Amino acid sequence: MNRRTLLATLGVGIPVAGALGWGVSEWMLRLMQSPASPSSPMQQSIGSPFALTDHAGRRVTDTSYAGTVRLVFFGFTHCPDVCPTGLGYIAEVLDGLGDEAAKVRPLFISVDSSRDTPELLASYVTQFHPALIGLTGSEAEVAQAAKVFRTYYGKVSTGGDSYVMEHSASIYLLGSEGTLRGFLDTHEPVATAVSKVRLALRDTAPNAATPAGASS
Amino acid sequence: MKRRVLLATAALTLAGRGNAQPSSMLVAERAWSRPALARIGTAVTYLTLRNDGSAPVRVVGGSTDIAETVEIHESVVDNNVARMRPRPEGVAVPSGGSVRFQPNGLHLMLMKPRADLRAGQIFTITLRLDNGATLDVPVTVAAREPAAGHDGMHH
Ligand SMILES: [Cu+2]
C-alpha cells in the first residue's frame, strides 16, 4: 500500500516538478530509482474536471471521454519539433494497436489558446492521424486543464509579436476510470508503447473479471 | 528496401564557391521534413551530416526557395519541459565525424513556408558553411523518419 502511494506520487512528480523548478525535481528524481512499470498502475485519479472545445467545435468535458483509455499530450500547433514528434509517435502507436485503437481516445490539448482555434487544430491534428482529437479553449479553460493534469506551460517571447510555448513533453496514459497509468516515452520503441496501452485496455476492460495476466 | 536506402542516402559533395576545397567533403544523408501547413508558419527538417574531409566544417545557416528563412535550432527537454533555442553559432561537424539533426534535438527550422509541405514532395535546402561553401540538400517530405541506411549511422 505504501509502495503504491509512493508510485502514485512519483508518477505525477515529473510534470509537477517542471512547474516548481530544479530543487524539487532533483529531489523527486532521486527518489525515483526506476520508472514505474506499466503493470504497476498508479491509480491516481487525474485530469478532471476540465471543459474545452474539440477540433470539431463541440463543447466537451473530461466526462466526454469517461470510460475510455486516453492518451493525453499538451502542446501547440506552432511547435515545429517536439509536438509533431509526440503526435507522430502517438499516430504510430494507434496504428500499432490495430482494431484496438478504436477504444483509445488520443487527446492533444493546446496550451496556446490565442492562436489555436478549433478549425486550425482540425487541420493540424488530422495531418498525423484521423483519430486524434484536438482540444482548445479560453486561457482560463486551458489553465484549468493543465492544472488537473498537474502540468506546466509558459509563454516565451521570441521577439516582436512572435512567441513559442514551453510545455511538458509527457504523453499521459489514462485508464478508463480516469486513473494515471503512466506515460509513453517517444524514446521507447513504438511496440513498448503499444504494450503499455494494451495493458491499460485489458486491465480496465468493462468485463475484466479475470485477474490481470490470466489471458495472455 | 535497397532502393529505398539508396534514395534516402543521396550523398552530396561539397560545392565550393570560388576556391574548391577538395579536402573538405560534407555529406548529407536522410534529409526529411514533416508535412506542414503554411498558415501555421513553421516547418522542420532533419538530416545527418557526415564530414568525410580532413578539416572540421561548421554549418552556420541555410536557405530554401520554399520558405522565408532557415534557422538552426535545438529542442531541449529539460526537467521534462520541452523548450527550443536558436543556435546562431551553428553546428560543427568534426573531420571524420557526423552530426545528427533529429526529432527532439537539433533541427533546421523553416520559417514562413510559402506553401503547405505535403508527403512525397522533394525540395532543396542550401546549407551555408563557415568556409564560404554551400551544400545543396534534397529533402523529402514524409510523415515518418525514413528507414536508416546502413551507412547513415555513425556513433
Ligand atoms: Cu525550432
Side-chain angles (χ1 to χ4, degrees):
Chain A
M1 192 57 197
N2 273 339
R3 187 176 140 268
R4 173 169 280 183
T5 309
L6 191 67
L7 283 172
T9 310
L10 294 173
V12 295
I14 306 175
V16 172
L20 297 182
W22 269 113
V24 175
S25 67
E26 277 172 0
W27 170 75
M28 283 177 165
L29 288 172
R30 235 180 295 128
L31 281 178
M32 196 170 73
Q33 293 304 311
S34 65
S37 79
S39 57
S40 315
M42 299 173 193
Q43 299 292 2
Q44 174 123 5
S45 187
I46 194 170
S48 173
F50 70 74
L52 294 163
T53 302
D54 75 8
H55 72 244
R58 288 180 295 244
R59 291 294 295 167
V60 297
T61 69
D62 52 291
T63 60
S64 308
Y65 310 105
T68 63
V69 167
R70 281 150 272 179
L71 295 172
V72 181
F73 184 51
F74 287 83
F76 62 114
T77 64
H78 288 61
C79 161
D81 180 30
V82 171
C83 303
T85 302
L87 291 173
Y89 186 80
I90 290 172
E92 289 190 62
V93 172
L94 293 172
D95 286 349
L97 283 165
D99 292 344
E100 287 177 286
K103 299 181 208 157
V104 177
R105 296 289 170 276
L107 308 179
F108 177 66
I109 303 181
S110 170
V111 295
D112 189 1
S113 58
S114 55
R115 290 190 296 208
D116 288 344
T117 60
E119 190 263 331
L120 182 58
L121 272 176
S123 45
Y124 182 75
V125 297
T126 51
Q127 288 185 112
F128 296 94
H129 199 281
L132 270 164
I133 300 165
L135 299 177
T136 187
S138 69
E139 263 183 50
E141 288 170 342
V142 169
Q144 167 67 16
K147 187 179 143 201
V148 296
F149 280 96
R150 304 173 181 96
T151 192
Y152 162 82
Y153 66 98
K155 193 171 181 170
V156 180
S157 170
T158 52
D161 289 342
S162 58
Y163 63 91
V164 295
M165 305 299 293
E166 53 185 34
H167 56 93
S168 156
S170 299
I171 302 171
Y172 296 75
L173 172 60
L174 268 64
S176 60
E177 308 89 351
T179 53
L180 179 66
R181 299 188 52 95
F183 298 94
L184 306 190
D185 180 346
T186 58
H187 296 93
E188 291 177 344
V190 169
T192 304
V194 169
S195 302
K196 287 180 181 179
V197 177
R198 285 216 166 106
L199 261 172
L201 283 167
R202 189 189 63 194
D203 292 355
T204 60
N207 49 5
T210 50
S215 62
S216 68
Chain B
M1 189 60 195
K2 201 161 189 182
R3 187 176 135 266
R4 186 172 186 177
V5 169
L6 203 64
L7 279 174
T9 322
L12 297 165
T13 51
L14 189 70
R17 194 189 285 153
N19 284 349
Q21 301 186 10
S23 62
S24 84
M25 189 187 263
L26 196 63
V27 180
E29 291 168 323
R30 293 166 60 203
W32 66 290
S33 260
R34 290 187 192 279
L37 301 171
R39 56 189 290 219
I40 284 177
T42 57
V44 69
T45 295
Y46 306 108
L47 75 169
T48 298
L49 290 174
R50 195 181 76 222
N51 184 355
D52 289 343
S54 54
V57 176
R58 179 175 287 273
V59 179
V60 291
S63 61
T64 178
D65 287 345
I66 67 145
E68 213 158 89
T69 53
V70 175
E71 296 175 10
I72 300 171
H73 285 189
E74 184 169 27
S75 296
V76 183
V77 180
D78 190 14
N79 201 9
N80 206 52
V81 175
R83 296 187 172 88
M84 191 167 70
R85 61 176 176 227
R87 298 254 319 203
E89 74 277 21
V91 174
V93 188
S95 164
S98 67
V99 171
R100 204 168 163 210
F101 289 64
Q102 60 187 329
N104 288 350
L106 278 174
H107 56 274
L108 296 173
M109 185 120 151
L110 281 55
M111 312 302 273
K112 300 200 171 121
R114 300 185 207 288
D116 292 353
L117 271 64
R118 297 183 184 285
Q121 183 187 339
I122 295 174
F123 65 94
T124 301
I125 288 183
T126 303
L127 294 178
R128 202 170 66 250
L129 313 179
D130 62 344
N131 61 11
T134 59
L135 174 67
D136 284 346
V137 181
V139 182
T140 302
V141 181
R144 284 166 199 183
E145 181 166 12
H150 66 286
D151 59 349
M153 305 289 285
H154 288 257
H155 292 290

